[in-house]
C-alpha cells in the first residue's frame, strides 16, 4: 500500500471537507487503489448548527494520487466511522455515529450501520440500544473467534 505517499500529497476533486475526525484507509471497490473513509464533524466542544459538510464520505482513488468522493451520508456532528463486513456478504459496510446528533431526523441520532448493497449503495440500519448513549468511541474486532466482526461502542 502506498499510504505514506498518498497521504502526503492527496489530490481531491473540488470536495475537500473540513473537520475530519477520522481517516481509514481501505479498498471499498476491490480495485487495488486506496480508498478513504472519513468522519467529518466539528470537534464536539459545543453543539454547532448543521453544516452541509458534516457526514460520512467514502472517497475513492481514481488513479494514483487522484481522489473523488463516491458516497456521502449527511450526519451532523459525525464523530467516528469504521468499515467492516458486518453482514458477511463480501463487501465493506459502514458503522458510524454523531457526537451531537440532530433531532430532526431519527436515523441521524444514533449509532448506525450502513449495509453495502454493492456499487457503494447503502441501506441504513439501527438497533434499539443505539439510542441509549452519547457515543464517543467505537471499534471492531472478532471477539469470539467466529470470523464475524463484532462492533464495540462506548460513551
Amino acid at each position: 500500500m502506498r499510504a505514506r505517499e498518498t497521504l502526503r500529497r492527496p489530490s481531491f476533486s473540488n470536495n475537500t471537507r473540513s473537520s475530519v475526525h477520522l481517516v481509514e484507509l481501505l479498498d471499498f471497490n476491490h480495485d487495488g487503489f486506496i480508498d478513504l473513509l472519513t468522519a467529518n464533524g466539528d470537534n464536539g466542544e459545543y453543539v454547532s448548527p448543521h453544516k452541509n459538510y458534516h457526514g460520512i464520505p467514502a472517497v475513492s482513488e481514481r488513479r494514483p494520487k487522484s481522489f473523488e468522493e463516491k458516497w456521502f451520508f449527511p450526519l451532523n456532528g459525525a464523530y467516528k466511522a469504521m468499515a467492516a463486513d458486518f453482514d458477511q456478504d463480501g463487501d465493506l459496510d459502514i458503522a458510524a455515529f454523531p457526537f451531537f446528533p440532530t433531532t430532526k431526523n431519527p436515523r441521524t441520532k444514533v449509532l448506525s450501520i450502513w449495509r453495502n448493497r454493492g456499487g457503494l449503495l447503502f441501506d441504513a440500519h439501527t438497533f434499539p440500544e443505539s439510542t441509549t448513549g452519547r457515543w464517543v468511541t467505537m471499534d471492531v474486532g472478532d471477539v469470539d473467534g467466529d470470523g464475524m466482526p463484532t462492533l464495540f461502542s462506548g460513551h
Side-chain angles (χ1 to χ4, degrees):
M1 208 180 250
R2 304 171 317 276
R4 182 173 297 137
E5 183 177 348
T6 301
L7 293 178
R8 192 175 22 202
R9 291 186 312 264
S11 172
F12 291 92
S13 61
N14 56 7
N15 291 324
T16 302
R17 308 238 186 233
S18 59
S19 303
V20 175
H21 287 285
L22 165 121
V23 176
E24 187 172 353
L25 303 174
L26 39 85
D27 187 2
F28 260 114
N29 53 7
H30 307 288
D31 65 357
F33 288 107
I34 295 170
D35 300 323
L36 308 174
L37 176 66
T38 66
N40 300 340
D42 282 331
N43 54 7
E45 79 275 11
Y46 59 90
V47 176
S48 72
H50 178 73
K51 297 176 181 160
N52 64 356
Y53 57 83
H54 279 200
I56 309 299
V59 179
S60 185
E61 190 174 20
R62 295 180 300 169
R63 58 187 184 280
K65 301 180 200 162
S66 178
F67 292 84
E68 177 179 33
E69 184 177 286
K70 294 292 190 178
W71 180 81
F72 181 80
F73 183 82
L75 187 62
N76 196 39
Y79 207 71
K80 187 153 188 181
M82 298 191 80
D85 188 5
F86 293 109
D87 57 7
Q88 298 290 283
D89 66 352
D91 54 26
L92 292 174
D93 308 304
I94 298 170
F97 63 84
F99 183 69
F100 50 87
T102 180
T103 57
K104 294 179 182 175
N105 182 352
R107 282 187 10 191
T108 64
K109 292 181 8 179
V110 297
L111 189 146
S112 300
I113 296 176
W114 286 273
R115 290 186 55 214
N116 188 346
R117 294 183 291 147
L120 292 178
L121 299 173
F122 292 87
D123 292 325
H125 298 272
T126 61
F127 45 96
E129 297 81 7
S130 67
T131 62
T132 62
R134 187 170 185 166
W135 309 106
V136 294
T137 189
M138 173 174 60
D139 209 341
V140 175
D142 181 5
V143 72
D144 57 7
D146 66 355
M148 295 183 66
T150 302
L151 181 65
F152 299 89
S153 57
H155 52 94

